Amino acid sequence: MILNKNYFLIIFLLAGQVFLRSQERMRTDSIPTENLEEVVVTATRTLRQLSSLPLPVTLISRRQLQQTGVIRLDEILDEQTGILMTPDATIGGGEGVQIQGISSDYIMVLIDGVPVVGRSSGNLDLSRLAIGNIQQVEIVKGPSSSLFGSEALGGVINIITEKPDSEDISGQVSHRSATFNNQNTSVNLNQRRGKLGYSLFADRLSTDGYDLAPLQDGQTINPFYNYTINGRVFLEASEKWDIFASARYFFQEFDVSPDSSEETDTNLHLRVTQNPGTKSNLQYEVYFTRYTTNEQIEDPVNSDTLIENDFDQRLLRPEIRYNYTFGPGNTLSLGAGYNFETLDRSLFREQVSFESQYLFAQYDFKPAEKLNIIAGARFDHHSEYNAQLSPKLSVRYDINPALAVKGSIGSGFKAPDFRQLYLDFSNVAGGGYSVFGKEVESEGIERLRENDELASLQVDASELGDPLDAESSVGYNLGITYKKGGLSAEINLFRNDFRNLIDTRILATKNNGQNVFGYINRERVFTQGLETDLKVRLLDNLELSAGYQLLFAYDKDRLEDIENGEVFARDPQTLETVRLDRSGYFGLENRSRHAFNVKLFGEIPKWKANANLRAVYRGRFGITDRNGNGLLDVLDDSFVQGYTLVNLSFGKRLFEHYSVQIGANNVFNFQGNNPLAAQDGEVLINPGTEIFAKINFQF
């Protein structure tokens, strides 16, 4: 019935648009020439030309989003250099984004410059963010706390929605069908009449889910459906005043009968821009967001409620920003804001709230024609933790018009959040894994033991309940870029030093093969390595790009223990206990030493067709310490072997306003195996090949 309604909606909307053909305009999809005027706003919170930035920034264009056929943010991020989406094997059904080896807790996600909240089970679920109305995605790598606060220690991902630019009604209606009965319908409308513009976007996604544990009852991901509705208004009230207003609502429900699982995400955003003069600019912004989940687990025998898990997070943030331009390439930015956040969760001991005030300043200037310097700092005063100062310095020097060097250094601070302290969560919809905050992990493990759900404990019992400390970091990036004609290349060296890093680890394994996760301080941790990106225009309509990341991520204390000869492990081949050396220490969990991607985009204008082939390789990574020596070494048996996912799609325009697209993700049907599965069981890390087809009507 739901599917029939879905198709009825498509037919109705398509028929309605036939009457608008007098207002239709045709959009071209050919590979554009190199556009040096592409701008980003996330890196400096002002408009900056992408090719001139002194920071490592990745830009994902609308063209790339459309031609790959992806429908959710996490799918496209996983194909970018230096960015990984952690698979199901690591967090029991959820995925989190990792940048330069830094976990998702330190990556801030924004929509039009304001934060997305809702880390109810650890990672921020990026699969709930539809991309049908996205203009571009901007990714700033490295510490960005000087502008965005403590959650941006590892980087920022900013989703920029498209802005109406035509006086005629324009937009598209599309439907995509894929494996696992994955059905996605989206409608996007835009219009600008004089000084007033509006944009409306609606998206519906449903799926039958999939199963990563075929030998167990139930499914790993249960059937679900969700809706996204977003409306935006743009008004040029006068020559000096602009107004932007946005409202977004997301609703998701899992089919876990007789249990229930619902999720909502509401965002209200108002921004008023004042231009008192040609050199100055003021922005007044108010943002409110609320994220809720509601889960009830019932006894199938007597229908009693066994677990009720309600989550209600609210954030109110007013902010004011001022920019003054002294001259070309010389801008001072000042800002101040206030955060008030509450979190009410049934599994917390009590409702929690905090407030903070912050000030930030940034000076972007060119002391010489070829030299650009950006210096900034942010001061945060928190109701629960000590005040913190987060400075950052970025420099770029243009050796010649094609070659430049750039570098940055920045610091940040992050205290344990309430989730890391008090979370007591079991996710039925995600396969039954559990996550315990530090303050409740002892009683959580004991409860599982009393309920006869615990198969084995993966850590020493004496470590349970040890307090978490606040963490701080310093990040460095140094790179060189080359851009000339159809060739561009970049090499970036990075290092991030953390003290008291808070990371996830596996505390125990349940009888059903799922994991119990907790939190731990890594006393002194660093991630370092290099990233390379290459893009070349092979022909007028054929473009090749490739990227590679080399990553080392270690606990400094464990390195010292190894150098002192204090770490031992049992060799599974010889059954002898051996002393580990430096080469035997693999590094931090869930970090791959090598990651590689290659993409080929091509078009045949004569046929109005395009095709692309994308391959992403992730090197082997370990999930947890299994031999009890407190670190992940090469003798542990918790490694997921390296694998490659190959994705492809083909698109063709039909007639004047229609286009079709077919494709496959994970072409070679890689499924892998979770090494932590029970001896007589099997747990996969990927559901297999996804085949999709899409029809689109543009007007």
Side-chain angles (χ1 to χ4, degrees), residues 244-299:
F244 166 76
S246 172
R248 176 180 174 273
Y249 178 72
F250 170 85
F251 173 82
Q252 179 167 269
E253 182 173 353
F254 282 89
D255 181 7
V256 290
S257 181
D259 306 322
S260 64
S261 178
E262 295 181 353
E263 180 180 10
T264 68
D265 185 9
T266 305
N267 312 107
L268 300 173
H269 183 195
L270 175 65
R271 182 173 64 234
V272 178
T273 302
Q274 180 187 8
N275 301 292
T278 58
K279 294 185 176 182
S280 58
N281 171 275
L282 273 164
Q283 287 189 331
Y284 312 91
E285 188 172 70
V286 178
Y287 175 64
F288 172 80
T289 182
R290 181 184 183 187
Y291 175 83
T292 69
T293 63
N294 180 280
E295 277 191 316
Q296 287 188 342
I297 303 173
E298 296 185 357
D299 189 328

Side-chain angles (χ1 to χ4, degrees), residues 409-691:
I409 178 173
S411 67
F413 165 85
K414 189 176 186 299
D417 60 33
F418 292 110
R419 171 183 53 87
Q420 294 163 339
L421 296 175
Y422 300 110
L423 181 63
D424 189 342
F425 176 78
S426 294
N427 188 357
V428 175
Y433 70 95
S434 297
V435 186
F436 295 140
K438 200 62 176 177
E439 296 293 323
V440 299
E441 66 181 15
S442 295
E443 60 185 80
I445 292 293
E446 184 60 30
R447 184 173 67 246
L448 293 177
R449 182 181 286 112
E450 292 175 353
N451 294 337
D452 197 27
E453 298 180 59
L454 199 65
S456 62
L457 193 64
Q458 301 290 338
V459 300
D460 193 296
S462 63
E463 299 179 19
L464 297 175
D466 287 347
L468 288 175
D469 297 319
E471 55 196 329
S472 60
S473 74
V474 178
Y476 312 84
N477 283 272
L478 178 63
I480 183 168
T481 65
Y482 178 83
K483 187 177 183 69
K484 187 174 183 179
L487 173 65
S488 64
E490 180 172 355
I491 298 177
N492 182 58
L493 303 174
F494 63 86
R495 181 178 173 103
N496 299 282
D497 280 288
F498 289 85
R499 289 190 61 86
N500 297 326
L501 173 69
I502 299 175
D503 201 1
T504 56
R505 66 168 175 174
I506 295 177
L507 300 176
T509 302
K510 292 184 176 182
N511 291 327
N512 64 359
Q514 294 297 317
N515 298 313
V516 181
F517 297 89
Y519 299 94
I520 187 175
N521 280 116
R522 307 287 186 181
E523 289 298 325
R524 295 180 298 153
V525 164
F526 69 89
T527 70
Q528 68 178 23
L530 66 86
E531 303 164 329
T532 63
D533 270 302
L534 174 69
K535 183 180 293 185
V536 57
R537 183 71 50 79
L538 301 176
L539 301 170
D540 287 343
N541 296 295
L542 186 62
E543 185 177 88
L544 172 69
S545 64
Y548 169 73
Q549 176 182 263
L550 173 66
L551 174 67
F552 298 92
Y554 292 112
D555 187 319
K556 293 181 181 178
D557 292 327
R558 301 289 79 80
L559 283 174
E560 291 181 1
D561 292 341
I562 290 175
E563 293 174 357
N564 294 332
E566 301 173 357
V567 182
F568 298 84
R570 182 167 179 155
D571 191 323
Q573 302 297 325
T574 65
L575 301 182
E576 295 180 355
T577 299
V578 298
R579 179 182 283 110
L580 283 181
D581 57 19
R582 175 70 178 262
S583 64
Y585 180 22
F586 187 81
L588 299 183
E589 295 87 345
N590 194 33
R591 272 79 173 179
S592 295
R593 185 68 47 80
H594 305 282
F596 181 80
N597 68 78
V598 59
K599 308 166 195 172
L600 188 64
F601 284 82
E603 296 186 0
I604 307 177
K606 181 175 64 175
W607 295 352
K608 298 180 180 179
N610 63 79
N612 59 82
L613 176 68
R614 297 113 54 209
V616 179
Y617 170 77
R618 180 177 184 183
R620 74 170 187 146
F621 59 95
I623 298 176
T624 189
D625 168 38
R626 291 290 294 273
N627 52 26
N629 58 9
L631 53 80
L632 181 67
D633 61 69
V634 295
L635 300 179
D636 276 305
D637 60 354
S638 65
F639 281 90
V640 175
Q641 297 306 311
Y643 58 87
T644 301
L645 300 180
V646 177
N647 308 320
L648 59 86
S649 69
F650 304 90
K652 178 170 173 48
R653 183 175 295 279
L654 299 176
F655 309 110
E656 187 177 3
H657 307 288
Y658 292 88
S659 63
V660 294
Q661 186 178 47
I662 59 173
N665 296 323
N666 191 8
V667 173
F668 297 108
N669 197 35
F670 168 79
Q671 293 181 300
N673 184 61
N674 185 342
L676 300 185
Q679 186 173 359
D680 57 348
E682 180 184 26
V683 178
L684 307 174
I685 64 174
N686 191 292
T689 301
E690 179 194 57
I691 300 174

Side-chain angles (χ1 to χ4, degrees), residues 394-410:
S394 304
V395 179
R396 176 189 175 100
Y397 181 75
D398 295 319
I399 299 174
N400 57 49
L403 188 65
V405 293
K406 58 185 181 181
S408 65
I409 178 173

